[in-house]
Amino acid sequence: MTINDIQITRSIIEEYYTSVKQLLECDVVIVGGGPAGMTAAYFAAKHGLAVVVLESRLAPGGGMWGGGMFFNQVIFQEEARELLDELRIEYKQNTEGYLVVPSYRAVAGLILNVDKAGARILNGITAEDVMVRQSKVCGVVINWTAAMKLGMHVDPLCIGARVVIDATGHDASIVRIYFAKSGNKLQPDEGMNIKTASMWAEKGEKMVVEHTRFITDGLIAAGMSVSSLFNTPRMGPIFGGMLFSGHKAAQLAVDYIKKERK
Ligand code: 48F
């Protein structure tokens, strides 16, 4: 085969353009490719929904890569065994009963499964705003992370979705933008204030799943954005709660879209 630089360029542009064009009005946009967002993407795509994950960095994986303080192992509680098996992520059970996985294996496993389930990952793209119509969140406003970081004045584009999932981690950036612009106030009496409480893994892991929910019509919070929003305890390098939260977010999105289609 003769290798031709122009053909390579054309192949890349055509493939990117064709696949993204199909997804401009998709079922679920997930903002953030950390463990919660990737798990949500896997289960939503497995249910046959058209799913896009937007990740502002080059690589999905979020806070998983670093393990605990750069010791690149992550921990799952026994209850996550079934999910890890479903995702075909191999683990060791240690003498304390925890499931231990090299962080790069956990991230690689998530990426591979999300891709195989049929979700599309768009990296290097940041969601900078939400689209709202008739009080319903119905998409996100996106731009190249690099352009935003350089402070270049480049107008953004949009992706429409039936459901948007904020899986942006501690920043809770989509929920934050929604509350800043919608006129709806954070509900401090419901514990909403965008900062996590101090570390307490036992409590934090349960609460992050319990509080994973629709924040408003069309917008779900999952993973650490839930913890920030509802001021629940942070949990550090144990990740079962992130997978469970992503799984619950996907289920909420699937049920919501089923109802809408009836
Ligand atoms: O931070 P992140 O891993 O969030 P998560 O899935 O998991 C949290 C854990 O990693 C850990 C923890 C739990 O034990 O405490 O922190 O809730 O992943 C969030 C991803 O979202 C991307 C960001 O680069 C990261 O990879 N992100 C954040 N804001 C945006 C975004 C945005 N506006 N647009 C696109 N991507």
Side-chain angles (χ1 to χ4, degrees):
M1 177 182 190
T2 317
I3 294 177
N4 176 307
D5 298 301
I6 302 304
Q7 287 171 347
I8 292 171
T9 304
R10 186 164 38 240
S11 303
I12 288 176
I13 291 174
E14 276 178 2
E15 187 54 36
Y16 193 89
Y17 173 77
T18 309
S19 62
V20 173
K21 197 173 142 203
Q22 284 167 4
L23 290 166
L24 290 183
E25 289 172 296
C26 63
D27 292 319
V28 185
V29 163
I30 296 165
V31 185
M38 294 296 274
T39 307
Y42 168 74
F43 283 105
K46 199 182 151 201
H47 270 90
L49 298 181
V51 178
V52 180
V53 180
L54 301 172
E55 170 50 54
S56 58
R57 296 182 202 160
L58 270 181
M64 244 187 179
W65 288 106
M69 221 184 98
F70 282 135
F71 298 105
N72 64 356
Q73 302 288 325
V74 289
I75 298 296
F76 295 89
Q77 53 276 62
E78 167 62 32
E79 291 77 3
R81 184 187 288 270
E82 213 178 304
L83 271 185
L84 291 175
D85 288 342
E86 156 105 25
L87 295 162
R88 293 176 294 275
I89 295 172
E90 285 177 32
Y91 47 82
K92 261 191 213 158
Q93 186 156 30
N94 71 10
T95 50
E96 321 243 29
Y98 294 101
L99 311 179
V100 188
V101 184
S103 57
Y104 48 85
R105 186 192 295 161
V107 174
L110 281 169
I111 295 173
L112 190 65
N113 278 288
V114 166
D115 182 48
K116 280 197 171 159
R120 183 79 165 84
I121 300 170
L122 301 181
N123 56 347
I125 293 181
T126 294
E128 58 161 58
D129 204 347
V130 284
M131 294 164 67
V132 182
R133 302 287 182 274
Q134 284 87 42
S135 307
K136 173 183 161 32
V137 172
C138 58
V140 287
V141 179
I142 59 169
N143 215 329
W144 298 114
T145 308
M148 291 174 73
K149 284 213 162 138
L150 289 170
M152 297 172 92
H153 186 163
V154 181
D155 277 320
L157 295 173
C158 296
I159 298 189
R162 292 189 153 87
V163 174
V164 173
I165 299 179
D166 179 333
T168 61
H170 290 259
D171 285 355
S173 60
I174 299 304
V175 165
R176 201 190 280 270
I177 287 165
Y178 169 75
F179 280 112
K181 294 198 171 180
S182 67
N184 288 347
K185 296 269 169 287
L186 284 169
Q187 305 296 326
D189 49 331
E190 288 177 29
M192 292 185 176
N193 55 20
I194 317 249
K195 64 172 188 290
T196 54
S198 303
M199 187 119 137
W200 188 353
E202 165 77 13
K203 241 179 133 181
E205 284 286 274
K206 289 195 179 103
M207 290 181 82
V208 73
V209 185
E210 279 163 23
H211 285 75
T212 298
R213 64 183 63 165
F214 274 95
I215 303 307
T216 188
D217 195 12
L219 176 62
I220 297 172
M224 282 315 278
S225 69
V226 173
S227 183
S228 290
L229 178 61
F230 291 101
N231 196 215
T232 66
R234 60 191 304 187
M235 65 293 281
I238 181 158
F239 283 87
M242 295 300 107
L243 304 197
F244 293 134
S245 172
H247 185 208
K248 182 174 173 187
Q251 198 52 57
L252 290 169
V254 168
D255 293 345
Y256 178 93
I257 290 169
K258 259 194 210 155
K259 250 194 215 158
E260 246 195 2
R261 281 179 178 159
K262 267 189 191 162

